[in-house]
């Protein structure tokens, strides 16, 4: 295996297949959890099947992260345009203050404002997820040396051409890093969203904590950890495609 | 007209426009008790038409100043006017809270509404813009920054905000709050302390031995990726099994839930930023500096203590800053597995659908996070300056 990138993708595919196989065989879970926790009678969370919880979790993360990406990247690009230069500092300032606020706090604050259920969680995840994406988009575009842009304009490129042919490709790697951080935070925070009634893998964990059932906790926790690691690897692999900066 | 001397401040103008708009939505929500939905009240109904118009007038003067402000005096007046607006906002809050009919409802309270929060945001924007123009006038900048928080604290301690929802909630649970607040700080401090020590050691190890580098980064990387609740949960099972096998562990407080899994998880989360920054701090030291040290006859230990430690200190501290700010937030989640801390109020509040209790947990956590961030940044700046001075001194 000479190509390290190919190797990384292969590892990811194998892990993913492994994940799917494990997730779809609830019998294996039953046996494994029974073996580990002999004194617990019910080892499988009865309310919602594992597959459905995973589906809810993915739905939550995909909707909120999707919204984050389609608004965050353009927003980041927009504030770096020369007409918006005045606002760049205050947006940077707001974003860095925002990132200091813990995601749990944002999730908790969403309840008094928007109430309980799926929508407040999606909104909280979306808003908090914006911060790393906007921040990294700005950082990526600002990391491009002035002379590179000057020479692009010197070649007769219009502002639009410079944006799409120079600025976006050159900052793609940093933007992807921002997206990865944002999605990983969302996967984690979505677990806590179960308390607010958004469903997902967190519901088994919360039920396990309330009923003092370690097996339920495991059923929610292991797939969530797996999901986060898989997602992280996936985005890291995409990041390594964009090597212009290195 | 000479356009050069006429430079409207776009940021301040948008702040002022937002401020004027924020006069219209509901300002306060009055509630007879913790769980009721409450009644929204507009500013004119709450503070009277005259005072509302006065605030509108103040926003208009900000607007004019941000259009025409040219010298430092005018920028300072802009900032101070925004401060005055904030002070009015606090006065309105205390008026609304004093006017509540507390006699009929013991736990009656007033919560801030959309208009209140929007005005705070607008004032922040205007103050930010004014301070940016004031560049190096540190004294006046500090006055503008700290006036409003000081006035707010004054109102708080003179019991003028005693019917403000979060304060009501605090008064009800004062004992518990102090206990959980201290517990939160202790959890963060202990985990950051041990996490930093382990992290620094692992970072040095990663720098020294090529063999160890990949495994160290791999493990710390993965542990950072795992969701907080999942890591807490993953530790519950093994810890409860171990503590059942060895009862003496239970006696010293190591159990499946509670402080033990929380601290372990928090320490693990601490590692990555510290390890990464220690590694890059050491890796970025110029080789020639170390060679010069060796050439002067320094032993390996001396090179480490006198060159590597001080030169990498700012980056290491930056790693500890990230860890501790992150730790303040993660500790909130630890309340879910019975470790206590300010998160307790959040999850109790969520369970009882009591927004004020959620705020009682959330607001201190946010303040704590911002405070930790600020203090650590100051320490980093101080160390970086010292290192720089040392460097200049050596050069001479």
């Amino acid at each position: 295996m000479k190509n390290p990138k190919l190797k990384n993708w292969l590892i990811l595919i194998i892990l993913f297949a492994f994940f799917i196989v494990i997730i779809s065989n609830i019998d294996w879970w039953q046996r494994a959890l029974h073996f580990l926790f002999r004194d617990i009678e019910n080892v499988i969370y009865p309310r919602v099947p594992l597959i459905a919880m995973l589906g809810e979790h993915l739905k939550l993360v995909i909707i909120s992260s999707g919204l984050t990406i389609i608004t965050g990247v353009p927003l980041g690009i927009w504030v770096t345009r020369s007409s918006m230069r005045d606002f760049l500092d205050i947006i940077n300032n707001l974003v860095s203050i925002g990132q200091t606020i813990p995601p749990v706090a944002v999730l908790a604050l969403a309840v008094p404002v928007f109430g309980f259920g799926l929508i407040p969680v999606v909104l909280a995840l979306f808003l908090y997820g914006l911060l790393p994406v906007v921040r990294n988009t700005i950082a990526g575009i600002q990391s491009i040396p002035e002379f590179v842009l000057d020479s692009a304009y010197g070649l007769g490129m219009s502002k639009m051409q410079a944006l799409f042919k120079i600025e976006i490709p050159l900052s793609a790697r940093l933007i992807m890093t921002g997206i990865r951080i944002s999605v990983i935070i969302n996967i984690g925070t979505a677990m806590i969203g179960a308390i607010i009634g958004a469903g997902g893998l967190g519901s088994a964990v919360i039920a396990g904590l309330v009923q003092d059932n370690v097996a339920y906790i495991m059923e929610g926790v292991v797939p969530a950890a797996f999901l986060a690691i898989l997602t992280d690897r996936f985005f890291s692999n995409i990041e390594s495609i964009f090597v212009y900066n290195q | 007209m000479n356009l050069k001397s006429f430079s409207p401040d776009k940021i301040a103008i948008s702040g002022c426009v937002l401020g004027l708009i924020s006069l219209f939505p509901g300002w306060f929500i009055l509630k007879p008790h913790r769980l009721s939905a409450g009644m929204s009240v507009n500013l004119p109904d709450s503070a009277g038409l005259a005072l509302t118009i006065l605030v509108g007038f103040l926003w208009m003067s900000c607007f004019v100043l941000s259009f025409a402000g040219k010298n430092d005096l005018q920028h300072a007046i802009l900032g101070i006017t925004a401060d005055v607006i904030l002070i009015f906002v606090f006065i309105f809050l205390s008026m609304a809270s004093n006017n509540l009919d507390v006699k009929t409802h013991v736990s009656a309270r007033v919560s801030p509404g959309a208009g209140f929060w929007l005005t705070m945001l607008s004032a922040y924007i205007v103050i930010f813009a004014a301070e940016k123009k004031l560049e190096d006038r540190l004294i006046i900048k500090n006055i503008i920054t700290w006036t409003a928080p000081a006035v707010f604290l004054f109102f708080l301690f003179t019991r003028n905000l005693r019917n403000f929802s979060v304060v009501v909630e605090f008064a009800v649970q004062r004992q518990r709050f102090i206990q959980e607040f201290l517990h939160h700080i202790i959890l963060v401090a202990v985990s950051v302390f041990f996490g930093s020590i382990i992290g620094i050691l692992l970072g040095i190890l990663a720098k020294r031995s090529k063999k160890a580098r990949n495994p160290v980064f791999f493990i710390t990387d993965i542990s950072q990726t795992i969701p907080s609740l999942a890591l807490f949960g993953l530790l519950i099972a093994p810890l409860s099994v171990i503590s059942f096998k060895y009862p003496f562990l239970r006696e010293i407080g190591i159990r499946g839930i509670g402080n033990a899994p929380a601290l372990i998880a928090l320490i693990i989360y601490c590692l990555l930023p510290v390890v990464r920054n220690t590694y890059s701090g050491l890796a970025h030291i110029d080789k020639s500096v170390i060679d010069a040290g060796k050439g002067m006859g320094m032993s390996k230990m001396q090179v480490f203590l006198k060159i590597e430690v001080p030169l990498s200190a700012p980056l290491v501290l930056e790693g500890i800053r990230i860890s501790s700010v992150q730790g303040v937030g993660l500790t909130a989640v630890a309340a879910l597995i019975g470790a206590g801390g300010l998160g307790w109020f959040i999850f109790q509040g969520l369970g009882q659908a009591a927004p004020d209790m959620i705020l009682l947990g959330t607001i201190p956590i946010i303040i704590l996070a911002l405070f930790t961030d600020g203090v650590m940044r100051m320490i980093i700046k101080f160390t970086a300056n010292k290192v720089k001075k040392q460097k200049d001194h050596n050069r001479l």
Side-chain angles (χ1 to χ4, degrees):
Chain A
M1 212 68 69
K2 271 181 189 159
N3 189 343
K5 277 187 202 164
L6 193 65
K7 193 174 135 198
N8 281 342
W9 281 106
L10 270 176
I11 293 175
L12 182 71
I13 291 168
I14 293 167
L15 280 176
F16 184 69
F18 182 62
F19 181 57
I20 295 292
V21 170
I22 289 184
I23 288 296
S24 46
N25 281 300
I26 200 72
D27 296 345
W28 295 4
W29 281 91
Q30 184 125 17
R31 254 180 261 163
L33 289 171
H34 254 309
F35 175 73
L36 286 172
F37 311 105
R38 283 185 200 154
D39 38 349
I40 297 174
E41 216 172 291
N42 281 328
V43 287
I44 300 294
Y45 180 56
R47 286 265 190 82
V48 193
L50 181 55
I51 282 278
M53 283 194 291
L54 184 67
E56 284 169 359
H57 206 97
L58 283 176
K59 190 174 98 185
L60 210 59
V61 173
I62 289 171
I63 296 174
S64 56
S65 293
L67 283 173
T68 295
I69 294 164
I70 56 173
T71 46
V73 177
L75 188 67
I77 293 172
W78 184 50
V79 294
T80 51
R81 298 305 90 194
S82 52
S83 57
M84 287 293 291
R85 273 290 143 80
D86 289 350
F87 290 91
L88 192 56
D89 280 336
I90 193 164
I91 300 242
N92 262 331
N93 190 271
L94 274 176
V95 167
S96 58
I97 292 179
Q99 279 196 308
T100 314
I101 298 171
V104 199
V106 177
L107 196 63
L109 285 177
V111 174
V113 184
F114 307 113
F116 284 84
L118 183 72
I119 290 164
V121 176
V122 168
L123 280 173
L125 294 183
F126 158 64
L127 286 175
Y128 195 79
L130 272 182
L131 302 172
V133 174
V134 171
R135 190 191 183 93
N136 275 39
T137 307
I138 294 173
I141 287 178
Q142 284 190 321
S143 72
I144 299 167
E146 196 97 344
F147 73 85
V148 174
L149 273 181
D150 284 345
S151 47
Y153 294 137
L155 284 170
M157 281 193 186
S158 68
K159 282 204 163 173
M160 261 310 168
Q161 280 175 317
L163 174 64
F164 283 101
K165 294 197 170 158
I166 310 282
E167 291 180 87
I168 292 179
L170 282 183
S171 49
R173 193 189 173 106
L174 264 173
I175 296 177
M176 280 312 297
T177 311
I179 292 175
R180 175 171 58 92
I181 295 170
S182 163
V183 175
I184 295 298
I185 292 176
N186 277 357
I187 291 178
T189 316
M191 286 197 81
I192 304 164
I195 297 177
I196 307 176
L201 292 163
S203 14
V205 181
I206 303 297
L209 285 168
V210 172
Q211 300 168 26
D212 199 14
N213 185 328
V214 185
Y216 290 178
I217 298 179
M218 284 296 130
E219 194 191 342
V221 150
V222 175
F226 221 122
L227 178 68
I229 293 170
L230 276 178
T231 315
D232 185 62
R233 292 292 99 195
F234 174 72
F235 280 106
S236 302
N237 285 356
I238 294 184
E239 261 169 62
S240 60
I241 296 172
F242 304 108
V243 283
Y244 307 95
N245 289 24
Q246 296 306 86
Chain B
M1 193 166 66
N2 186 352
L3 273 171
K4 274 253 166 86
S5 67
F6 185 74
S7 63
D9 186 338
K10 284 188 209 160
I11 304 173
I13 289 171
S14 36
C16 296
V17 173
L18 191 62
L20 280 169
I21 295 171
S22 70
L23 291 174
F24 295 99
W27 265 61
F28 299 112
I29 302 157
L30 309 179
K31 298 178 192 174
H33 54 83
R34 181 199 266 171
L35 297 177
S36 65
M39 184 182 75
S40 184
V41 183
N42 285 328
L43 191 56
D45 293 335
S46 165
L49 196 59
L51 284 173
T52 310
I53 291 173
L54 178 63
V55 173
F57 173 75
L58 284 173
W59 278 123
M60 288 304 293
S61 7
C62 281
F63 190 78
V64 172
L65 274 170
S66 42
F67 247 106
K70 267 176 283 184
N71 53 36
D72 278 357
L73 180 67
Q74 281 160 344
H75 299 316
I77 293 175
L78 176 65
I80 289 165
T81 316
D83 271 337
V84 173
I85 293 174
L86 278 179
I87 292 168
F88 268 107
V89 170
F90 300 146
I91 293 174
F92 295 157
L93 183 60
S94 77
M95 277 165 63
S97 113
N98 284 333
N99 287 343
L100 267 189
D101 184 11
V102 198
K103 275 170 203 143
T104 46
H105 303 286
V106 182
S107 58
R109 56 192 70 195
V110 49
S111 304
F116 176 91
W117 292 119
L118 268 179
T119 304
M120 301 277 278
L121 177 67
S122 320
Y124 158 80
I125 293 173
V126 171
I127 289 174
F128 181 92
E131 290 192 353
K132 204 182 152 203
K133 285 275 167 79
L134 284 168
E135 284 169 37
D136 47 348
R137 306 250 173 178
L138 281 178
I139 298 170
I140 185 79
K141 264 167 90 170
N142 272 314
I143 291 175
I144 293 175
T145 310
W146 296 109
T147 305
V151 171
F152 183 77
L153 286 178
F154 174 76
F155 273 80
L156 201 61
F157 284 112
T158 49
R159 291 183 46 77
N160 271 306
L161 298 176
R162 63 182 175 281
N163 292 328
F164 179 30
S165 62
V166 183
V167 180
V168 174
E169 202 65 45
F170 169 73
V172 176
Q173 324 203 39
R174 163 176 294 213
Q175 213 77 49
R176 181 93 204 207
F177 180 84
I178 295 169
Q179 181 196 328
E180 299 295 357
F181 184 74
L182 290 176
H183 193 73
H184 199 103
I185 293 177
I186 291 170
L187 278 177
V188 176
V190 171
S191 59
V192 169
F193 179 74
F194 287 107
S196 303
I197 291 178
I198 301 171
I200 290 172
L201 290 177
L202 284 175
I204 295 172
L205 180 71
K207 178 69 184 45
R208 291 282 151 87
S209 116
K210 270 194 177 149
K211 253 191 205 160
R213 190 173 305 157
N214 281 332
V216 165
F217 280 140
F218 181 73
I219 292 168
T220 47
D221 239 357
I222 279 197
S223 60
Q224 190 81 9
T225 310
I226 296 175
S228 51
L229 186 55
L231 191 54
F232 288 128
L234 278 176
L235 290 167
I236 290 177
L239 278 172
S240 59
V241 170
I242 292 173
S243 73
F244 270 109
K245 271 210 167 141
Y246 306 99
F248 74 90
L249 286 175
R250 290 180 80 78
E251 274 161 35
I252 57 169
I254 295 180
R255 281 177 299 142
I257 58 163
N259 286 326
L263 276 177
I264 297 174
L266 290 171
I267 290 174
I268 293 175
Y269 271 118
C270 235
L271 293 179
L272 181 69
V274 180
V275 171
R276 278 225 174 271
N277 280 32
T278 307
Y279 175 79
S280 53
L282 290 171
H284 278 113
I285 296 173
D286 204 337
K287 241 200 151 186
S288 63
V289 181
I290 294 175
D291 286 340
K294 281 182 189 158
M296 282 162 68
M298 282 186 180
S299 69
K300 266 195 173 175
M301 204 55 199
Q302 279 174 316
V303 169
F304 178 69
L305 286 178
K306 295 208 165 152
I307 299 176
E308 292 185 300
V309 170
L311 284 183
S312 58
L315 259 177
V316 176
L317 285 171
E318 172 67 16
I320 297 176
R321 179 188 71 81
I322 298 171
S323 288
S324 26
V325 171
Q326 189 184 269
V328 171
L330 289 170
T331 305
V333 183
L336 267 181
I337 56 163
L342 288 166
W344 187 85
F345 293 102
I346 296 183
F347 296 119
Q348 285 291 317
L350 286 173
Q352 301 172 18
D356 299 335
M357 203 158 157
I358 298 175
L359 287 176
L360 182 63
T362 314
I363 293 173
I365 288 176
I366 294 176
I367 295 174
L368 208 55
L370 292 172
F371 178 77
T372 314
D373 189 59
V375 170
M376 285 303 295
R377 275 180 200 276
M378 257 163 57
I379 296 176
I380 292 166
K381 221 177 179 179
F382 178 74
T383 340
N385 280 342
K386 225 174 173 185
V387 171
K388 210 176 151 221
K389 255 187 208 158
Q390 189 76 31
K391 263 189 196 165
D392 293 345
H393 181 77
N394 288 349
R395 207 160 287 150
L396 291 173

